[in-house]
Amino acid sequence: MTPNKVSIFEVGARDGLQNELPVTTQDKIALVEALGRAGVKRIEAASFVSPKWVPQMADSGDVLRNISRQDGVTYSALTPNLKGLELALDAGADEVAIFGAASQSFSQRNINCSIEESIERFAPVMERAIAANIPVRGYVSCVLGCPYEGDIAISEVARVSEILYKMGCYEISLGDTIGVGTPANARRMVEAVSQKVPVDKLALHFHDTYGQALANILACLETGVSVIDSSVAGLGGCPYAKGASGNLATEDLVYMLNGLGIETGIDLHLLAKAGNTISQALGKSTGSKVARAISG
Ligand code: HMG
Ligand code: MG
């Protein structure tokens, strides 16, 4: 069941940088272009959310408009509502993502509405995106725990995932938003969701807050899932745990997959270079152990 190829969905320029001190638009553009040169094919480069909620993403339109696009690379953006979608289409996003949650409290605090209301808001986004021929990805947050509610029922994760999939999302990304999962429950969760959404339409989006992300991915790979979200240099902190690490570092993921003989098409050294450069712009050292080892 373990795949021999994994598609990496790089979220550093969005999930990472939304949780870091601001960098310049030029730094973001340089990062996205460097990721493309390293062989990353799917890059989340923007987020069209309220700039009052997430000021770090306010220049998303300028980022998308000014990158030198590379053939075969998809540049995507988060779009919580129709306003976000229109801005993303205008800026030339190749695909967009709607983002819901398996926790009511998280949904309320993150996008200011209940799970049910979020589904209602996503419907016109989906309709308009389909009309514009733009694929829509769906995120489900808090799949292994919520910062406000603690444990989340796996059945609720499966229910929300199925709704987003049936609405037309081409892929459902399962977010361990606060990185609390461990291998056995991560695998159980993926197995349960794959009863409702085909496993080849699922992606893992595991934050590394508790240092479990690689172990969780390894456990879940055996279910056949073959799309993994990660963030170069481990960019991104955790707004719910001050000082904690962010997303799983893409370099660490690629290193593990290389060792397993699983293809990613990514050049580890160029990837680490991209991560080191953006870390320098942020005035900190890379959050990737592998990048530290091979660049030291
Ligand atoms: P709201 O306040 O309920 O929305 O926010 P509203 O429609 O009442 O609008 C309020 C103001 O926001 C208005 O401006 C709108 O124009 C503006 P004002 O009149 O006050 O000047 N506005 C917008 N501006 C730009 N782009 C837009 C947009 N929409 C409204 N698209 C809203 C609702 C969803 C907008 C807000 O709650 C928001 O922006 N939330 C974003 C939260 C966020 O970005 N979280 C991080 C991303 S999710 C994540 O990281 C998890 C993930 O990685 C997976 C995982 O790890 O689990 C994906
Ligand atoms: Mg995330």
mmCIF file of all heavy atoms in Angstrom, residues 14-15 177 205 207 247, ligand 2:
data_model
loop_
_atom_site.group_PDB
_atom_site.id
_atom_site.type_symbol
_atom_site.label_atom_id
_atom_site.label_comp_id
_atom_site.label_asym_id
_atom_site.label_seq_id
_atom_site.Cartn_x
_atom_site.Cartn_y
_atom_site.Cartn_z
ATOM 1 N N ARG A 14 2.770 30.345 2.612
ATOM 2 C CA ARG A 14 1.462 30.731 3.154
ATOM 3 C C ARG A 14 1.340 30.333 4.632
ATOM 4 O O ARG A 14 1.396 31.171 5.518
ATOM 5 C CB ARG A 14 0.351 30.081 2.298
ATOM 6 C CG ARG A 14 -1.045 30.629 2.555
ATOM 7 C CD ARG A 14 -1.708 30.118 3.804
ATOM 8 N NE ARG A 14 -1.845 28.656 3.833
ATOM 9 C CZ ARG A 14 -2.275 27.984 4.921
ATOM 10 N NH1 ARG A 14 -2.586 28.630 6.029
ATOM 11 N NH2 ARG A 14 -2.365 26.669 4.900
ATOM 12 N N ASP A 15 1.232 29.049 4.920
ATOM 13 C CA ASP A 15 1.016 28.632 6.309
ATOM 14 C C ASP A 15 2.211 29.021 7.165
ATOM 15 O O ASP A 15 2.058 29.388 8.333
ATOM 16 C CB ASP A 15 0.807 27.107 6.367
ATOM 17 C CG ASP A 15 0.024 26.673 7.588
ATOM 18 O OD1 ASP A 15 -0.311 27.534 8.419
ATOM 19 O OD2 ASP A 15 -0.246 25.464 7.716
ATOM 20 N N THR A 177 -3.639 20.767 13.048
ATOM 21 C CA THR A 177 -3.345 22.191 13.168
ATOM 22 C C THR A 177 -2.375 22.499 14.302
ATOM 23 O O THR A 177 -1.544 23.394 14.186
ATOM 24 C CB THR A 177 -4.676 22.941 13.416
ATOM 25 O OG1 THR A 177 -5.652 22.397 12.526
ATOM 26 C CG2 THR A 177 -4.553 24.419 13.219
ATOM 27 N N HIS A 205 -1.611 17.038 6.423
ATOM 28 C CA HIS A 205 -1.094 18.389 6.712
ATOM 29 C C HIS A 205 -0.806 18.416 8.212
ATOM 30 O O HIS A 205 -1.640 18.811 9.016
ATOM 31 C CB HIS A 205 -2.165 19.410 6.305
ATOM 32 C CG HIS A 205 -1.822 20.838 6.577
ATOM 33 N ND1 HIS A 205 -1.484 21.740 5.583
ATOM 34 C CD2 HIS A 205 -1.766 21.556 7.734
ATOM 35 C CE1 HIS A 205 -1.259 22.931 6.109
ATOM 36 N NE2 HIS A 205 -1.426 22.849 7.418
ATOM 37 N N HIS A 207 1.267 19.543 11.424
ATOM 38 C CA HIS A 207 2.208 20.470 12.056
ATOM 39 C C HIS A 207 3.105 19.684 13.017
ATOM 40 O O HIS A 207 2.733 18.597 13.477
ATOM 41 C CB HIS A 207 1.433 21.576 12.785
ATOM 42 C CG HIS A 207 0.827 22.588 11.839
ATOM 43 N ND1 HIS A 207 1.208 23.900 11.802
ATOM 44 C CD2 HIS A 207 -0.128 22.458 10.883
ATOM 45 C CE1 HIS A 207 0.513 24.542 10.876
ATOM 46 N NE2 HIS A 207 -0.312 23.686 10.299
ATOM 47 N N ASN A 247 5.072 24.184 10.905
ATOM 48 C CA ASN A 247 4.760 23.026 10.066
ATOM 49 C C ASN A 247 5.966 22.093 10.011
ATOM 50 O O ASN A 247 7.086 22.495 10.288
ATOM 51 C CB ASN A 247 4.484 23.490 8.626
ATOM 52 C CG ASN A 247 3.170 24.202 8.495
ATOM 53 O OD1 ASN A 247 3.059 25.361 8.855
ATOM 54 N ND2 ASN A 247 2.175 23.528 7.987
HETATM 55 MG MG MG B 2 -1.689 24.604 8.734
#
